[in-house]
Amino acid sequence: MSAAEDRRWLDVAVEQARIGAEEGGVPIGAALVADGQLLGAGRNRRVQQQSPILHGETDALAAAGRLPARTYARATMYTTLSPCAMCTGAILLYGIPRVVIGEHDTFVGEEQLLRSRGVEVVVLDDPDCRKLMEAFAREHPQLWHEDIGED
């Protein structure tokens, strides 16, 4: 995948993160892409839907709907923030071979687990993703800590 393609699809995830922030939620977005096609995009909607499991990646998977294993095997998950253990588990369960991460300075998820299972992990170190998360963590520390499972 080219750098331009990665940027294109990360921008979809960033837009989802911005929508989530406008809705009063945690600004994390994701997009599932295969063969140059957007399969599903989503955002963390834990606050909006009162859901413990609607992270950006799981929302993108839900938006994509049921897909055959061969489609997941050609897919890339784009996410604005390093995936947590739950989202990593979903990526591994469906055999998604590549994950592109906007940033991992505010939170480092299970990147090593993904790599240990053969998943290609690309970190773009995107300043827009970092600014969104830093502002959110500063302005909503209780929600941020709840989202990452800390007190």
Side-chain angles (χ1 to χ4, degrees), residues 14 21 34 37 45 49 52 63 66 88 95 97 101 113 118 132-133 138:
V14 170
Q37 299 285 329
R45 295 190 300 151
Q49 299 292 322
R66 294 174 53 205
T88 293
I101 298 168
L113 176 57
L132 275 169
M133 287 314 306
R138 184 177 53 254

Side-chain angles (χ1 to χ4, degrees), residues 5-150:
E5 281 291 295
D6 282 346
R7 181 75 250 170
R8 173 186 178 197
W9 298 117
L10 182 64
D11 285 346
V12 172
V14 170
E15 179 60 24
Q16 287 293 310
R18 288 190 175 120
I19 292 168
E22 290 169 9
E23 294 171 341
V26 182
I28 301 170
L32 184 66
V33 175
D35 305 323
Q37 299 285 329
L38 178 65
L39 302 175
R43 60 193 169 276
N44 184 309
R45 295 190 300 151
R46 292 181 66 251
V47 173
Q48 301 92 310
Q49 299 292 322
Q50 298 295 304
S51 168
I53 60 171
L54 275 180
H55 283 195
E57 299 89 338
T58 56
D59 196 38
L61 285 165
R66 294 174 53 205
L67 299 169
R70 66 183 170 276
T71 302
Y72 292 117
R74 298 187 315 271
T76 298
M77 177 66 77
Y78 291 86
T79 179
T80 58
L81 187 66
S82 184
C84 72
M86 177 178 66
C87 295
T88 293
I91 290 163
L92 293 173
L93 176 68
Y94 291 107
I96 297 168
R98 187 168 185 264
V99 177
V100 175
I101 298 168
E103 71 100 351
H104 66 180
D105 291 336
T106 29
F107 176 79
V108 178
E110 299 296 330
E111 294 172 31
Q112 292 301 343
L113 176 57
L114 288 167
R115 287 184 181 102
S116 77
R117 293 296 220 34
V119 175
E120 178 186 359
V121 176
V122 178
V123 180
L124 297 183
D125 198 25
D126 181 74
D128 291 334
C129 293
R130 190 177 317 99
K131 286 177 192 170
L132 275 169
M133 287 314 306
E134 287 174 351
F136 179 79
R138 184 177 53 254
E139 295 166 15
H140 305 282
Q142 184 176 358
L143 273 179
W144 172 236
H145 289 286
E146 176 188 320
D147 195 65
I148 61 174
E150 294 180 359

